[in-house]
Each structure stands twice: as structure tokens, then as C-alpha cells.
């Protein structure tokens, strides 16, 4: 039953860079219309996990399926069709710096079919409003934005095509608490209203609690815990407990030499 | 065993790099001929490579023509063969100097710029973002540049031919006191279509190589600002050396038969 209801299924995904293995057999299922949040320490391979699903990196071993068909090593034609259903926010936004903000936001739409400039600008302004930016921003270039603004433009770009699948790599880092909450609401509404499936990465437990149907924790290249958002604050797992409470002491070694 | 395995490993790395390079070249060429095309980007690149290189290439050509006339005069007057100056200038410029010098100047100007731009896009994940928005980076970034280089450089060299001959004319007539009509007649008399055509074929090959090297080193760059710096240097150095090598080969193909 679960098989037919899963949008994204990862089985035994391994990825190493040279001798350094980052993912060590990740198993993960994301249901249709579900919002899954992946948490885990810095440098545990969360961004690498996303890139493997998107086909930007190829896993060394294991299978990744979206809608029941494998997405590893796809030919460009099939990949293009698949990627049209996907929106992605990169950790550092990755805005095209040779284009203005509105061109960035409507790039994916224009790539599918040409849209007249004034129409594109209107769409961009609507999407900017959704992430709490005003219309003046549309004509700026990415270099003229602050870090948090860039992140929000990246978010606007990710949701511009109303995609079926959304990937957010740390959507709220670098934002003030109020704006974080606006973004959380936005993600929730994308999932609830548009019926999208979302995979988000975050360090922000308040945000995780708000947007997640389910939370998974990545540690040492494996998913060591999954559970609902409520369970995470009273889980019996030592790793999860240390992470959620943000303590330096515990089973997760921080590799910091304390004086 | 240790030294052997070291040698083996470096040979394998080398072969892998060669293989990767040829795959890159094949993909670039394939995407030049298979739609969709991006005419806007192509036109922008033609302007960038062709039109904006005019001042640099024009100055190079005029000084080269001038110095050629001056040097051949001091040499040929020893044999009372001053009459051959027009001939020497036009043949050297069209066959060799205009394509090679224009090629080297454009390699410095354009090869470096391409490697830096595409390299920056690589290290800031903009190329990944392009892919995720179902736009093939080979079609969007590389094919228009390679095509524009291959087409723009012959046009530049044709102009450089004319300016170079003009430089020789200026020195011969205004400094060395030749009869203008006579000089032009001599220039025209000895010129064969093959002299110009071989130069333009060379230019086309150089334009292809310059864009290809700029794109290849940019596309494969890694490791932040430093990696982009390295890519830029490699692009210019490899393009320059290939230009000189290919120049010999094309000359051999065109003129080996004629005595
Ligand atoms: N292209 C690459 N080449 C080599 N190593 C890489 C590459 N990309 C990532 N890594 C390594 O993989 C590990 C995981 O990186 P990743 O970016 O996925 O971390 P992360 O979990 O997203 O961390 P953060 O929360 O800080 O963003 C890191 O140790 C990094 O050094
Ligand atoms: Mg990350």
C-alpha cells in the first residue's frame, strides 16, 4: 500500500567523494502530498542527498525513484520532463547574477513556453509578494540584494511554476524570526493548498515543527530516526535528543576542542 | 610496487581527463545542431566576440602591417627587391598574421571572460540551478558560445586582413615613398583567393577552439574563486597553444602540395 502512495523512494543510496563516504545507504520514503523535513548536523550530507535526488549528482549505489520510476542516470529528455515538476531552493539561493530578479523568478516558466515581458513581470511581482518582498525588488539584480532577500527570491523562483515536488535547502536560515514564520506559512500553504510534496532541510527546530508532517534525522550517512513532528521533542533516541536540545555533550561528536 | 601504482594512477587520471574532454567536445557539437536554440544568447555572444573585439584586433592588424612593410623594406633593399614589399605584406597578413594574431588576442579577451563567467556559475551552483529549471546548460551556455566563436572570428579576420594591408600601404606610401597606385596594383596582382580563404578557415578553427577552451575550463572548474582563476589561466594558455599548433596543421593541409 505504501509503495503506491510514495512520491519519492530512496533505497540504499550511497555516495562518496574520493575516499570520503558521505551517504552510507540512505533509505527514505516520502508520501504524496507529504512534507518531510530532514535534519542533521552540518556537513552530514543533507545537500548532497538533495542533489542526488535531483540528478545533479549520481549515487554510487542504490536506487532513487520518483512516481515509481528510477531517476538515476536519466537521459536528458526524460530528465527535463521530470524537472518540470520540480522546484528547488538552493542553500545559497544560486540566483543567476546576469539577470534581474524578475527574470530569475520567471526563468523556469519562460523555459517551458515564451511569455511576454509584462506578463512575466506581473507573475514575478505576485511571487515576490508571497515571500514578503515588494514590487521594487523585481527590477534589481541579485548583487543588489541582502542575503535574506536573495534567499526569498530563490524561494519565489522555486515556487513560481507551482511544482508538484518542492525541495528547500534551509529555507529560513538568514531570516529574522518574523520572516521565518512567513516563509514557514508559505511552505505549509504550498503543500496543503497546491498538494505539493515537499522535502526540506533545516536546522531551525521551530521551522521544522511547523512545516513537517514527518521528520527524518541524517547522521553518519544514514537516516537514524524518523517520526512525526510531535514525537521528536520527546524521542528516546540519544542522537535526536542531543540535536533537538542543541547540547554540545552527547553521542554526536562535535570535533571541537574545548579549552 | 608503490612507484608503479603511482604511475598507473596518474596514467588513468590522464586518460580519464582526455575521455571527459572528448565527451565534452562531442556534446558541444551535437547541441550546436539540435534544437532548441537560443538565438538571443547567440547574438549577444556574436557582439561580445566579434564587434567588441574590433578595436583590439584592428590595432593589432594595423601595427603588424606597418611593421611588416618597414622590416621588408630594410631587408629587401639590400637585394634591390623593394618591389616585393606589397606582395610580402598581403601574403603574410592574409595567410598567417591576421588569423594567428587575432586568434591570440581574442583568446586573451574572450577565452578568459568565458572561463571566468561559466566557472563562477559552476562554483555558485548557477549551472545546477539551470539544470533544475529544465534548461540544458550545454544548449544554453555552451552551444551559443562555440557557434558564435566559430562564426565571429572569420569576420573579424577578414576585417583584420583589410586593415593590415592598409597599414602596410600607409608606411610604404607615406614613409617609404612608394607610388600609391603601383603599390595597390601589386597587392592585388599577387593575391590568390586561396590565401584569404585559408586564413578564414584558420580563423574559424581558432574561434571554435577559443570558445571551446573557455567553456570547457569554466564548466569543469571547482573549488571557489581560486578554481575559477585557474580555469581562466588554463583556458587562455591551452587555447593559445592549440591555435599555434592548429595553425601549422592547417597550413600544411592547404599549402603542402604547392611546391
Ligand atoms: N562536490 C563535492 N566534492 C567533494 N566533497 C563534497 C562535495 N560536496 C559535498 N562534499 C562533502 O560532503 C559532505 C556533506 O556536504 P553537504 O553540503 O551535503 O553538507 P550539509 O549536510 O548540507 O551541511 P550544511 O548543513 O552545513 O549545509 C561535506 O563534508 C562536504 O565536504
Ligand atoms: Mg547543506
Amino acid at each position: 500500500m505504501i509503495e503506491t502512495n510514495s512520491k519519492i523512494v530512496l533505497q540504499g543510496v550511497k555516495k562518496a567523494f574520493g575516499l570520503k563516504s558521505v551517504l552510507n545507504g540512505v533509505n527514505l520514503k516520502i508520501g504524496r502530498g507529504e512534507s518531510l523535513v530532514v535534519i542533521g548536523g552540518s556537513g552530514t550530507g543533507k545537500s548532497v542527498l538533495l542533489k542526488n535526488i535531483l540528478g545533479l549528482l549520481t549515487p554510487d549505489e542504490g536506487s532513487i525513484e520518483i512516481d515509481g520510476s528510477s531517476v538515476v542516470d536519466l537521459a536528458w529528455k526524460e530528465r527535463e520532463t521530470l524537472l518540470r515538476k520540480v522546484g528547488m531552493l538552493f542553500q545559497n539561493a544560486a540566483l543567476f547574477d546576469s539577470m534581474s530578479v524578475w527574470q530569475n523568478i520567471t526563468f523556469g516558466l519562460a523555459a517551458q513556453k515564451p511569455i511576454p515581458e509584462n506578463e512575466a513581470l506581473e507573475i514575478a511581482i505576485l511571487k515576490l509578494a508571497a515571500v514578503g518582498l515588494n514590487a521594487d525588488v523585481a527590477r534589481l539584480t541579485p548583487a543588489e540584494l541582502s542575503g535574506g532577500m536573495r534567499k526569498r527570491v530563490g524561494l519565489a523562483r522555486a515556487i513560481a511554476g507551482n511544482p508538484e515536488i518542492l525541495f528547500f535547502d534551509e529555507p529560513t536560515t538568514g531570516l529574522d524570526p518574523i520572516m521565518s514564520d512567513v516563509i514557514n506559512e508559505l511552505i505549509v500553504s504550498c503543500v496543503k493548498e497546491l498538494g505539493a510534496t515537499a522535502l526540506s532541510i533545516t536546522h531551525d527546530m521551530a521551522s521544522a515543527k511547523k512545516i513537517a508532517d514527518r521528520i527524518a534525522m541524517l547522521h553518519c550517512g544514514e537516516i537514524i530516526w524518523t517520526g512525526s513532528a510531535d514525537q521528536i521533542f520527546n524521542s528516546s533516541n540519544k542522537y535526536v535528543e542531543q540535536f533537538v536540545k542543541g547540547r554540545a555533550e552527547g553521542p554526536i561528536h562535535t570535533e571541537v576542542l574545548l579549552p | 610496487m608503490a612507484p608503479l601504482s603511482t604511475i598507473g594512477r596518474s596514467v588513468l587520471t590522464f586518460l580519464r581527463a582526455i575521455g571527459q574532454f572528448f565527451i565534452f567536445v562531442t556534446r558541444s557539437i551535437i547541441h550546436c545542431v539540435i534544437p532548441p536554440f537560443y538565438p538571443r544568447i547567440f547574438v549577444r555572444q556574436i557582439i561580445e566576440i566579434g564587434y567588441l573585439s574590433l578595436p583590439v584586433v584592428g590595432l593589432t592588424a594595423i601595427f603588424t602591417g606597418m611593421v611588416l612593410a618597414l622590416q621588408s623594406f630594410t631587408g629587401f633593399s639590400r637585394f634591390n627587391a623593394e618591389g616585393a614589399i606589397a606582395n610580402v605584406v598581403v601574403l603574410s597578413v592574409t595567410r598567417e598574421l591576421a588569423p594567428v594574431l587575432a586568434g591570440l588576442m581574442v583568446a586573451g579577451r574572450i577565452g578568459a571572460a568565458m572561463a571566468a563567467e561559466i566557472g563562477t556559475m559552476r562554483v555558485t551552483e548557477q549551472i545546477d540551478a539551470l539544470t533544475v529549471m529544465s534548461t540544458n546548460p550545454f544548449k544554453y551556455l555552451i552551444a551559443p558560445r562555440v557557434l558564435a566563436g566559430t562564426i565571429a572570428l572569420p569576420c573579424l579576420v577578414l576585417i583584420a586582413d583589410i586593415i593590415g594591408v592598409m597599414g602596410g600601404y600607409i608606411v610604404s606610401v607615406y614613409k617609404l615613398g612608394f607610388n600609391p597606385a603601383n603599390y595597390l596594383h601589386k597587392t592585388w596582382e599577387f593575391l590568390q583567393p586561396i590565401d584569404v580563404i585559408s586564413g578564414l578557415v584558420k580563423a574559424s578553427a581558432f574561434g571554435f577552439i577559443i570558445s571551446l577552451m573557455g567553456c570547457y575550463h569554466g564548466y569543469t572548474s571547482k573549488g571557489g574563486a581560486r578554481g575559477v582563476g585557474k580555469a581562466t589561466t588554463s583556458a587562455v594558455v591551452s587555447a593559445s597553444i592549440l591555435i599555434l599548433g592548429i595553425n601549422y596543421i592547417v597550413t600544411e593541409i592547404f599549402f603542402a602540395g604547392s611546391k
Side-chain angles (χ1 to χ4, degrees):
Chain A
M1 275 316 288
I2 292 171
E3 300 307 317
T4 53
N5 255 335
S6 297
K7 187 86 177 165
I8 306 175
V9 181
L10 284 82
Q11 264 165 349
V13 173
K14 292 190 181 175
K15 179 74 189 172
F17 294 102
L19 295 175
K20 182 177 179 191
S21 97
V22 177
L23 300 180
N24 250 326
V26 171
N27 298 310
L28 197 61
K29 277 188 186 136
I30 307 168
R32 206 172 297 276
E34 183 184 36
S35 172
L36 181 89
V37 167
V38 175
I39 58 172
S42 192
T44 47
K46 302 181 299 297
S47 299
V48 169
L49 182 70
L50 276 196
K51 286 183 185 167
N52 273 295
I53 300 175
L54 284 163
L56 299 171
L57 292 171
T58 311
D60 302 331
E61 271 178 57
S63 72
I64 302 174
E65 289 178 359
I66 296 182
D67 285 330
S69 50
S70 169
V71 296
V72 179
D73 270 332
L74 280 186
W76 176 261
K77 266 265 167 334
E78 287 117 49
R79 201 161 158 211
E80 193 182 354
T81 325
L82 173 74
L83 288 170
R84 285 190 177 181
K85 299 191 281 189
V86 170
M88 161 87 180
L89 166 68
F90 285 84
Q91 188 165 1
N92 57 11
L95 301 179
F96 304 126
D97 45 28
S98 60
M99 295 174 204
S100 63
V101 164
W102 70 266
Q103 285 169 324
N104 262 286
I105 294 173
T106 53
F107 187 91
L109 295 173
Q112 291 176 25
K113 68 174 172 56
I115 24 179
E117 189 165 315
N118 51 355
E119 209 173 295
L121 192 59
E122 260 171 48
I123 297 174
I125 289 172
L126 269 176
K127 298 293 170 186
L128 281 174
V131 295
L133 290 171
N134 61 25
D136 307 338
V137 175
R139 290 190 188 280
L140 302 178
T141 62
E144 295 167 302
L145 305 178
S146 76
M149 286 163 92
R150 233 173 279 156
K151 194 115 218 180
R152 283 185 277 161
V153 172
L155 199 63
R157 186 172 74 172
I159 60 169
N162 298 333
E164 279 174 37
I165 307 171
L166 284 160
F167 296 100
F168 298 119
D169 199 341
E170 305 193 5
T172 55
T173 26
L175 302 182
D176 62 74
I178 300 168
M179 201 38 78
S180 293
D181 205 51
V182 171
I183 298 302
N184 291 337
E185 297 279 353
L186 177 72
I187 294 173
V188 170
S189 81
C190 280
V191 176
K192 292 281 162 326
E193 282 158 34
L194 304 174
T197 305
L199 172 53
S200 321
I201 290 170
T202 189
H203 294 295
D204 175 356
M205 292 316 296
S207 166
K209 190 178 173 200
K210 187 142 195 176
I211 63 183
D213 295 328
R214 212 150 55 85
I215 298 180
M217 174 147 174
L218 187 68
H219 182 68
C220 284
E222 284 174 56
I223 301 289
I224 55 161
W225 186 88
T226 53
S228 74
D230 309 323
Q231 287 169 337
I232 197 156
F233 291 97
N234 38 39
S235 109
S236 54
N237 187 308
K238 287 271 173 295
Y239 292 90
V240 175
E241 198 188 346
Q242 185 192 351
F243 191 85
V244 170
K245 304 221 166 116
R247 290 206 212 96
E249 299 92 36
I252 304 174
H253 298 295
T254 45
E255 289 175 19
V256 176
L257 295 175
L258 297 172
Chain B
M1 277 327 273
L4 272 184
S5 71
T6 314
I7 293 171
R9 201 172 308 126
S10 24
V11 169
L12 282 182
T13 313
F14 178 71
L15 289 179
R16 193 173 305 131
I18 300 260
Q20 266 170 2
F21 176 70
F22 278 103
I23 291 171
F24 186 91
V25 176
T26 319
R27 283 177 73 183
S28 313
I29 295 173
I30 289 174
H31 288 295
C32 282
V33 292
I34 300 176
F37 303 114
Y38 292 94
R40 272 190 167 181
I41 298 175
F42 173 73
V43 170
R44 202 187 306 153
Q45 289 301 321
I46 287 274
I47 292 172
E48 188 73 32
I49 302 171
Y51 185 69
L52 296 179
S53 298
L54 268 177
V56 179
V57 170
L59 282 172
T60 312
I62 197 157
F63 286 124
T64 308
M66 285 164 72
V67 87
L68 257 182
L70 209 55
Q71 284 283 22
S72 5
F73 180 76
T74 48
F76 288 178
S77 59
R78 292 179 201 159
F79 313 104
N80 295 323
E82 296 94 331
I85 290 178
N87 191 8
V88 167
V89 169
V90 74
L91 286 193
S92 327
V93 167
T94 54
R95 280 185 176 196
E96 287 295 330
L97 294 172
V100 171
L101 293 179
L104 293 176
M105 297 310 276
V106 174
R109 220 185 85 83
I110 299 300
M114 279 184 189
E117 187 181 355
I118 296 180
T120 306
M121 290 186 75
R122 164 61 74 200
V123 300
T124 57
E125 296 180 320
Q126 290 178 53
I127 293 185
D128 288 344
L130 264 185
T131 311
V132 171
M133 282 185 269
S134 57
T135 300
N136 192 329
F138 265 85
K139 280 206 197 311
Y140 187 82
L141 291 175
I142 292 165
R145 284 173 168 75
V146 170
L147 213 55
T150 315
I151 293 171
L153 217 67
C155 306
L156 262 181
V157 166
L158 196 62
I159 296 168
D161 283 348
I162 296 166
I163 295 176
V165 169
M166 223 172 65
Y169 172 88
I170 290 169
V171 167
S172 304
V173 171
Y174 294 103
K175 185 167 165 62
L176 307 173
F178 279 63
N179 176 313
N182 201 4
Y183 185 91
L184 285 182
H185 175 72
K186 282 228 163 94
T187 298
W188 200 240
E189 189 183 0
F190 287 104
L191 189 66
Q192 304 277 322
I194 187 81
D195 298 324
V196 178
I197 290 169
S198 70
L200 297 184
V201 169
K202 283 179 180 179
S204 201
F206 298 166
F208 177 75
I209 287 295
I210 292 166
S211 316
L212 191 69
M213 285 297 139
C215 292
Y216 175 73
H217 288 286
Y219 196 79
T220 52
S221 69
K222 43 177 161 276
R226 201 164 160 191
V228 175
K230 241 168 85 180
T232 311
T233 312
S234 310
V236 176
V237 171
S238 59
S240 306
I241 290 176
L242 281 171
I243 283 175
L244 297 173
I246 288 174
N247 180 45
Y248 178 80
I249 294 168
V250 177
T251 310
E252 178 90 29
I253 293 170
F254 267 97
F255 300 111
S258 59
K259 59 184 168 316

